[in-house]
Amino acid sequence: MPSSPHRRMNLAARHAFTLIELLVVIAIIGVMVGLLLPAVQSAREAARRMQCSNNLKQIGLAIHNYHDAFKQMPANHGFDHTHTSGEPWVSGPSWLTVILPQLEQGPAFEQMVFEGTDFSDTTTVPNRNWEVMSKLEVPTYNCPSSALERKRFQSASDATQAIGAPEVYPIQIPDYVASVGYYNPPGSNEFSWDRYYAGTATWSWGWLQDDGFLSILNNKFQKRRFASVLDGLTNTIAVGEHSAFLYHFDGTQEDSRPGRGPGAAWAARPSYFEWGAYYGMTANVTVPRYPNNSLFSGNWTQNMEHTLHNGFRSQHLGGVQFLMGDGSVRFITDSIDFDKIFTALNGRADRYVFKQDF
């Protein structure tokens, strides 16, 4: 017997949701999303942090392979001879440039020229590498958690435009910076002139010094080997993150990465050793003068791209990831004793003994 229209309508009504039921379901879904979202974000950050750690490990492997090949550590190549009046203060390649072949970027490296060129493109000498620099992007040099820009737009000099460059071209900014020493001696929060009188440092836009893991090749400092790291490779910081904004006390922020200036990742800047030399500037390296992730102190050496005191910063909550000299990667918390332990970790031969873990 066929069902009546009324029976069919009743059956259809039983399978439909009321407005209240729909609202309840939507509310439940909203609560579940709210509960799961932090866990998803945490998992994503854990994956990004792992990738950042892997980047540092790759850089560490490249440094060790470079040392095996050339019997010295990579370094910033600064102005290496006596300057004559009227001579341009050209910039050489950075340590990030010289390890490109060890990061499977040999083809790009082989296209570069190292004579008659200015890597920072700020003088009357053309940057003959402008084209390869503008096209080259190494993912290993950027932390995936960083919110900072990955490119700077370099203004080509007249000399560089004369060889075919456009007025502006992009260059990669790195999120990793090499340690070249410490500001105050380990165990002290007071500045000392001893290293200047010993010939290991010069006062010029910050300290260009020979106390840290990586060195600067210029008219004073020469090549260095692992054997010079007397404190042990395991106890010496080689490279750390600078992948987060520098914050002021009023909440404003700025990019203070040591590799954000002219030439970005690929330039060392002149790095000249001389008392009071205006061109004693360098890039992509740091001498931490203030604790990790600290607020802006008001001192100009903390935020200029060609000084040594920019320090280390990270987007990872609670600390910064570091590559140690032995190739291992360690997460060092912001609460570490800066004057004693952290400063000592940035020295390669300070022989400072500490008992606390880090």
Side-chain angles (χ1 to χ4, degrees):
M1 179 179 176
S3 61
S4 67
H6 295 289
R7 180 177 176 81
R8 288 197 296 269
M9 290 178 62
N10 289 336
L11 288 174
R14 290 174 191 165
H15 292 291
F17 287 101
T18 66
L19 178 59
I20 294 177
E21 288 173 331
L22 285 173
L23 291 175
V24 169
V25 171
I26 292 172
I28 293 173
I29 293 174
V31 171
M32 292 178 65
V33 170
L35 292 173
L36 290 174
L37 188 58
V40 171
Q41 292 176 333
S42 178
R44 288 177 177 174
E45 169 54 21
R48 289 192 292 262
R49 179 171 159 177
M50 184 178 298
Q51 181 58 52
C52 177
S53 175
N54 185 61
N55 288 346
L56 287 167
K57 288 179 180 178
Q58 292 300 315
I59 292 172
L61 183 61
I63 290 173
H64 278 253
N65 287 339
Y66 184 96
H67 188 275
D68 289 344
F70 299 103
K71 309 306 177 188
Q72 68 182 67
M73 287 189 278
N76 268 4
H77 291 248
F79 209 83
D80 63 356
H81 60 273
T82 302
H83 181 261
T84 60
S85 180
E87 181 183 10
W89 290 92
V90 299
S91 175
S94 74
W95 68 275
L96 291 166
T97 299
V98 299
I99 64 171
L100 285 172
Q102 285 72 39
L103 287 170
E104 298 184 350
Q105 296 291 337
F109 183 82
E110 290 169 1
Q111 294 179 52
M112 291 184 174
V113 296
F114 298 92
E115 299 293 335
T117 187
D118 181 359
F119 275 82
S120 63
D121 200 357
T122 57
T123 67
T124 56
V125 177
N127 178 12
R128 303 186 185 280
N129 298 302
W130 72 267
E131 188 169 11
V132 63
M133 287 169 60
S134 67
K135 294 179 179 178
L136 181 59
E137 183 171 356
V138 181
T140 306
Y141 288 165
N142 287 114
C143 171
S145 293
S146 177
L148 298 173
E149 294 290 339
R150 297 195 174 189
K151 298 278 188 178
R152 75 166 267 124
F153 291 93
Q154 177 72 38
S155 296
S157 65
D158 291 341
T160 303
Q161 290 184 54
I163 61 172
E167 291 185 5
V168 177
Y169 57 91
I171 312 179
Q172 182 179 3
I173 304 174
D175 294 328
Y176 302 106
V177 57
S179 171
V180 290
Y182 48 79
Y183 185 71
N184 297 324
S188 171
N189 59 5
E190 296 183 1
F191 179 74
S192 170
W193 289 99
D194 292 347
R195 284 168 291 153
Y196 168 71
Y197 293 121
T200 63
T202 184
W203 180 261
S204 179
W205 296 99
W207 282 87
L208 301 181
Q209 57 194 42
D210 203 32
D211 296 321
F213 184 80
L214 292 186
S215 62
I216 300 170
L217 297 181
N218 58 16
N219 57 315
K220 172 69 176 181
F221 302 134
Q222 302 303 316
K223 68 180 182 181
R224 178 184 304 150
R225 298 182 178 182
F226 285 157
S228 69
V229 186
L230 303 182
D231 292 345
L233 297 176
T234 305
N235 299 317
T236 305
I237 289 173
V239 179
E241 291 183 83
H242 194 125
S243 58
F245 285 107
L246 167 67
Y247 283 90
H248 294 243
F249 282 92
D250 62 2
T252 57
Q253 61 188 24
E254 64 177 301
D255 184 352
S256 64
R257 286 174 293 180
R260 75 187 189 279
W266 318 122
R269 309 301 292 275
S271 307
Y272 197 62
F273 183 99
E274 181 181 324
W275 172 259
Y278 179 76
Y279 287 96
M281 58 178 71
T282 190
N284 295 300
V285 296
T286 190
V287 173
R289 185 173 178 177
Y290 302 95
N292 300 332
N293 291 314
S294 59
L295 294 174
F296 182 52
S297 69
N299 191 302
W300 60 270
T301 63
Q302 194 178 3
N303 67 344
M304 295 186 73
E305 87 278 351
H306 57 259
T307 64
L308 290 175
H309 301 150
N310 313 68
F312 301 100
R313 301 187 173 278
S314 174
Q315 200 71 34
H316 309 304
L317 185 64
V320 179
Q321 297 203 102
F322 290 93
L323 168 71
M324 309 305 289
D326 63 352
S328 63
V329 175
R330 299 201 59 169
F331 184 79
I332 298 179
T333 64
D334 294 340
S335 61
I336 189 173
D337 187 323
F338 179 79
D339 293 332
K340 297 178 181 178
I341 301 178
F342 189 75
T343 296
L345 290 173
N346 282 276
R348 64 180 175 85
D350 53 80
R351 314 314 292 268
Y352 186 83
V353 178
F354 55 85
K355 295 181 180 179
Q356 297 115 308
D357 193 12
F358 65 93

